[in-house]
Amino acid sequence: MPGFMSERKRITGPNHSFSPLGEQVKLTHSKSNLHLTSQVANDFDSPLLPGLPDDVAMLCLALVPSSNFPSMGAVCKKWRSFIRSKDFITVRKLLGLLEEWLYILTMDAEGKQSQWEVLDRLGNKHRLLPLMPGPVKAGFGVVVVAGKLLVMAGYSVTDGTDSASSDVYEYDSCLNSWSKLASMNVARYDFACAEVNGIVYVVGGYGMDGESLSSAEAYDPDIDKWTLIESLRRPRWGCFACGVDGKLYVMGGRSSFTIGNSRFVDVYHPERQSWCQMKKNGCVMVTAHAVLGNKLFCMEWKNQRKLAIFNPEDNSWNMVPVPLTGSSSIGFRFGILDGKLLFFSLEQEPSYKTLIYDPDAASGSEWQTSKIKPSGLCLCSVTIKA
C-alpha cells in the first residue's frame, strides 16, 4: 500500500517427558482473564505442556480463547515463540478457530493524532492498538503477512529536517504488542508494497535524499531478512501494489518516462524472479484499492462514483457504477470484511451509512448498506485473520 498519509509521498518434535503439570505452570482465574505464571526457567528444550507430546500441546494451547493469548505469551519463551509462529495460525485454522478482524487506521477530527482501532465481524469496536513505536511518520506502507501487521519505512520530520526511514515494525494481534523487525536495505517513502505467497515486496518510492527509486526488495518473515530483487526498468513513485494470482502488480503513480500519471503496469513473477510490463489498461491516480478473492478493486480520483474491477485471467477491467445510497460522497477508503468490500466515506456526514459491495451476490443484489464504520477519518484498513 502506498504512503496514504504522505504529503508527497520448529516447534520441537514430540517430547514424552512426564513431569507433573502442577510443578510447571500455575493457573489462576479471575472474572475475565486467565492468568498464567511460569514456575520454571524459560527452557526451549522443555515440552510445551509437560506430559503431552508437543503436537497435542499445540492443539490444547490453540483452543484457549484469544483474549488470553497475551497472558499466555508471558508464561515462558517457548509459549511466546509458539504463539508468534506460523504454526499457531496454522493450527487455529485447522481447528476452524481463526477470527476475522478489521484494523482501521483513523485520524482524529483535528487531524493531529492517528490510532489503529479494531472492529469485529459485526463492526463492533474491539480495542485500540498500542501506539506504533518509533517517530511519527508519513508515506509509510502497511501490509499483512501470516496474521501479523507490518508497518514499513516512511519519512519523519525532526527539528525541521526530513528523514526517510528503513525501519519495519510488526504488530502481533495474538500478543497485542509491537516489535521491531529487520530493516529494509533502502530507506524509502511513497512506495508500493504487497504480500505475495507469504513474501512481502516493496517497490520504488522516494529515497533518503528525495531521489526517485527503481529498486525493489523482498522480505521473508521466516528468516526476518530483506533481499534486494531485480529493479524496475525505471523509477516509480506514488504507486501502489497488490498480489493477485501469485504475481505482484505495480500500478499508478508516476515514472520518469511518463508525463503525468503512468498507465504502465509492472508485473513481477516470483518464480522467474523477473519483471515484465503491461503497456495498457492500468489504473492511474488511484485513491483506494483492495484485493478480494482473485480480483483487484480500484477507485480513481477522476471517477470516484465508479468501481474498477481487474480480472487477471484476461487482464480486463470492468466498471461498476457506485450507487448514491448510504452516502453521496465522492471519496472513499476500502475495507474488507466477511468477503465483502466496504466503502468508508471520507466525508464525515453524521447520517451516512457504509456502502457494501458483495461480488458473490446475485445480480441486482450486490449493493447493501451497513452501520459499520470507523470512529474517525479512515486513512487505511487491513483485514487480519488470527
Side-chain angles (χ1 to χ4, degrees), residues 310-322:
F310 174 69
N311 187 344
E313 292 184 359
D314 55 6
N315 293 329
S316 65
W317 289 90
N318 181 34
M319 303 298 290
V320 176
V322 177

PDB file of all heavy atoms in Angstrom, residues 310-322:
ATOM      1  N   PHE A 310     -10.400  -5.384 -11.773  1.00  0.00           N
ATOM      2  CA  PHE A 310      -9.405  -6.003 -12.657  1.00  0.00           C
ATOM      3  C   PHE A 310      -9.432  -7.513 -12.491  1.00  0.00           C
ATOM      4  O   PHE A 310      -9.345  -8.038 -11.375  1.00  0.00           O
ATOM      5  CB  PHE A 310      -8.009  -5.473 -12.333  1.00  0.00           C
ATOM      6  CG  PHE A 310      -6.899  -6.164 -13.089  1.00  0.00           C
ATOM      7  CD1 PHE A 310      -6.763  -5.984 -14.457  1.00  0.00           C
ATOM      8  CD2 PHE A 310      -5.992  -6.975 -12.423  1.00  0.00           C
ATOM      9  CE1 PHE A 310      -5.738  -6.609 -15.152  1.00  0.00           C
ATOM     10  CE2 PHE A 310      -4.971  -7.608 -13.104  1.00  0.00           C
ATOM     11  CZ  PHE A 310      -4.842  -7.424 -14.480  1.00  0.00           C
ATOM     12  N   ASN A 311      -9.562  -8.224 -13.614  1.00  0.00           N
ATOM     13  CA  ASN A 311      -9.542  -9.685 -13.635  1.00  0.00           C
ATOM     14  C   ASN A 311      -8.231 -10.137 -14.274  1.00  0.00           C
ATOM     15  O   ASN A 311      -8.021  -9.913 -15.469  1.00  0.00           O
ATOM     16  CB  ASN A 311     -10.730 -10.223 -14.433  1.00  0.00           C
ATOM     17  CG  ASN A 311     -10.852 -11.729 -14.343  1.00  0.00           C
ATOM     18  OD1 ASN A 311      -9.916 -12.424 -13.945  1.00  0.00           O
ATOM     19  ND2 ASN A 311     -12.006 -12.254 -14.709  1.00  0.00           N
ATOM     20  N   PRO A 312      -7.317 -10.760 -13.505  1.00  0.00           N
ATOM     21  CA  PRO A 312      -6.009 -11.150 -14.060  1.00  0.00           C
ATOM     22  C   PRO A 312      -6.083 -12.275 -15.077  1.00  0.00           C
ATOM     23  O   PRO A 312      -5.122 -12.494 -15.819  1.00  0.00           O
ATOM     24  CB  PRO A 312      -5.224 -11.578 -12.815  1.00  0.00           C
ATOM     25  CG  PRO A 312      -6.273 -12.057 -11.866  1.00  0.00           C
ATOM     26  CD  PRO A 312      -7.465 -11.168 -12.095  1.00  0.00           C
ATOM     27  N   GLU A 313      -7.201 -12.999 -15.119  1.00  0.00           N
ATOM     28  CA  GLU A 313      -7.303 -14.115 -16.053  1.00  0.00           C
ATOM     29  C   GLU A 313      -7.226 -13.648 -17.500  1.00  0.00           C
ATOM     30  O   GLU A 313      -6.639 -14.320 -18.346  1.00  0.00           O
ATOM     31  CB  GLU A 313      -8.602 -14.891 -15.812  1.00  0.00           C
ATOM     32  CG  GLU A 313      -8.626 -15.634 -14.474  1.00  0.00           C
ATOM     33  CD  GLU A 313      -9.878 -16.459 -14.316  1.00  0.00           C
ATOM     34  OE1 GLU A 313     -10.727 -16.448 -15.233  1.00  0.00           O
ATOM     35  OE2 GLU A 313     -10.007 -17.134 -13.267  1.00  0.00           O
ATOM     36  N   ASP A 314      -7.814 -12.495 -17.790  1.00  0.00           N
ATOM     37  CA  ASP A 314      -7.759 -11.969 -19.160  1.00  0.00           C
ATOM     38  C   ASP A 314      -7.275 -10.511 -19.197  1.00  0.00           C
ATOM     39  O   ASP A 314      -7.408  -9.835 -20.222  1.00  0.00           O
ATOM     40  CB  ASP A 314      -9.129 -12.069 -19.835  1.00  0.00           C
ATOM     41  CG  ASP A 314     -10.236 -11.392 -19.042  1.00  0.00           C
ATOM     42  OD1 ASP A 314      -9.918 -10.740 -18.024  1.00  0.00           O
ATOM     43  OD2 ASP A 314     -11.410 -11.517 -19.440  1.00  0.00           O
ATOM     44  N   ASN A 315      -6.710 -10.052 -18.074  1.00  0.00           N
ATOM     45  CA  ASN A 315      -6.193  -8.680 -17.976  1.00  0.00           C
ATOM     46  C   ASN A 315      -7.247  -7.639 -18.348  1.00  0.00           C
ATOM     47  O   ASN A 315      -6.947  -6.609 -18.969  1.00  0.00           O
ATOM     48  CB  ASN A 315      -4.951  -8.497 -18.863  1.00  0.00           C
ATOM     49  CG  ASN A 315      -3.769  -9.317 -18.374  1.00  0.00           C
ATOM     50  OD1 ASN A 315      -3.631  -9.551 -17.174  1.00  0.00           O
ATOM     51  ND2 ASN A 315      -2.936  -9.767 -19.292  1.00  0.00           N
ATOM     52  N   SER A 316      -8.488  -7.892 -17.960  1.00  0.00           N
ATOM     53  CA  SER A 316      -9.572  -6.990 -18.330  1.00  0.00           C
ATOM     54  C   SER A 316     -10.035  -6.168 -17.135  1.00  0.00           C
ATOM     55  O   SER A 316      -9.860  -6.561 -15.975  1.00  0.00           O
ATOM     56  CB  SER A 316     -10.755  -7.791 -18.885  1.00  0.00           C
ATOM     57  OG  SER A 316     -11.317  -8.617 -17.867  1.00  0.00           O
ATOM     58  N   TRP A 317     -10.637  -5.011 -17.437  1.00  0.00           N
ATOM     59  CA  TRP A 317     -11.224  -4.143 -16.419  1.00  0.00           C
ATOM     60  C   TRP A 317     -12.717  -4.033 -16.656  1.00  0.00           C
ATOM     61  O   TRP A 317     -13.174  -3.945 -17.800  1.00  0.00           O
ATOM     62  CB  TRP A 317     -10.608  -2.743 -16.486  1.00  0.00           C
ATOM     63  CG  TRP A 317      -9.186  -2.678 -16.019  1.00  0.00           C
ATOM     64  CD1 TRP A 317      -8.069  -2.842 -16.779  1.00  0.00           C
ATOM     65  CD2 TRP A 317      -8.729  -2.424 -14.699  1.00  0.00           C
ATOM     66  NE1 TRP A 317      -6.935  -2.716 -16.009  1.00  0.00           N
ATOM     67  CE2 TRP A 317      -7.317  -2.445 -14.721  1.00  0.00           C
ATOM     68  CE3 TRP A 317      -9.380  -2.174 -13.478  1.00  0.00           C
ATOM     69  CZ2 TRP A 317      -6.538  -2.233 -13.586  1.00  0.00           C
ATOM     70  CZ3 TRP A 317      -8.607  -1.957 -12.355  1.00  0.00           C
ATOM     71  CH2 TRP A 317      -7.199  -1.991 -12.399  1.00  0.00           C
ATOM     72  N   ASN A 318     -13.458  -4.024 -15.574  1.00  0.00           N
ATOM     73  CA  ASN A 318     -14.907  -3.848 -15.638  1.00  0.00           C
ATOM     74  C   ASN A 318     -15.288  -2.682 -14.731  1.00  0.00           C
ATOM     75  O   ASN A 318     -14.847  -2.618 -13.588  1.00  0.00           O
ATOM     76  CB  ASN A 318     -15.620  -5.127 -15.188  1.00  0.00           C
ATOM     77  CG  ASN A 318     -17.126  -5.003 -15.258  1.00  0.00           C
ATOM     78  OD1 ASN A 318     -17.667  -4.334 -16.133  1.00  0.00           O
ATOM     79  ND2 ASN A 318     -17.822  -5.656 -14.337  1.00  0.00           N
ATOM     80  N   MET A 319     -16.096  -1.763 -15.243  1.00  0.00           N
ATOM     81  CA  MET A 319     -16.501  -0.592 -14.472  1.00  0.00           C
ATOM     82  C   MET A 319     -17.914  -0.794 -13.932  1.00  0.00           C
ATOM     83  O   MET A 319     -18.838  -1.103 -14.683  1.00  0.00           O
ATOM     84  CB  MET A 319     -16.451   0.655 -15.345  1.00  0.00           C
ATOM     85  CG  MET A 319     -15.082   0.918 -15.967  1.00  0.00           C
ATOM     86  SD  MET A 319     -13.780   1.197 -14.749  1.00  0.00           S
ATOM     87  CE  MET A 319     -14.283   2.795 -14.110  1.00  0.00           C
ATOM     88  N   VAL A 320     -18.062  -0.630 -12.612  1.00  0.00           N
ATOM     89  CA  VAL A 320     -19.351  -0.808 -11.957  1.00  0.00           C
ATOM     90  C   VAL A 320     -19.753   0.510 -11.291  1.00  0.00           C
ATOM     91  O   VAL A 320     -19.005   1.034 -10.458  1.00  0.00           O
ATOM     92  CB  VAL A 320     -19.281  -1.922 -10.893  1.00  0.00           C
ATOM     93  CG1 VAL A 320     -20.599  -2.044 -10.140  1.00  0.00           C
ATOM     94  CG2 VAL A 320     -18.901  -3.251 -11.536  1.00  0.00           C
ATOM     95  N   PRO A 321     -20.911   1.081 -11.636  1.00  0.00           N
ATOM     96  CA  PRO A 321     -21.350   2.332 -11.004  1.00  0.00           C
ATOM     97  C   PRO A 321     -21.576   2.141  -9.497  1.00  0.00           C
ATOM     98  O   PRO A 321     -22.102   1.119  -9.064  1.00  0.00           O
ATOM     99  CB  PRO A 321     -22.654   2.664 -11.725  1.00  0.00           C
ATOM    100  CG  PRO A 321     -22.607   1.885 -12.998  1.00  0.00           C
ATOM    101  CD  PRO A 321     -21.841   0.642 -12.693  1.00  0.00           C
ATOM    102  N   VAL A 322     -21.180   3.138  -8.709  1.00  0.00           N
ATOM    103  CA  VAL A 322     -21.394   3.121  -7.268  1.00  0.00           C
ATOM    104  C   VAL A 322     -22.691   3.864  -6.964  1.00  0.00           C
ATOM    105  O   VAL A 322     -22.818   5.044  -7.308  1.00  0.00           O
ATOM    106  CB  VAL A 322     -20.219   3.788  -6.526  1.00  0.00           C
ATOM    107  CG1 VAL A 322     -20.485   3.822  -5.023  1.00  0.00           C
ATOM    108  CG2 VAL A 322     -18.917   3.044  -6.819  1.00  0.00           C
TER     109      VAL A 322
END
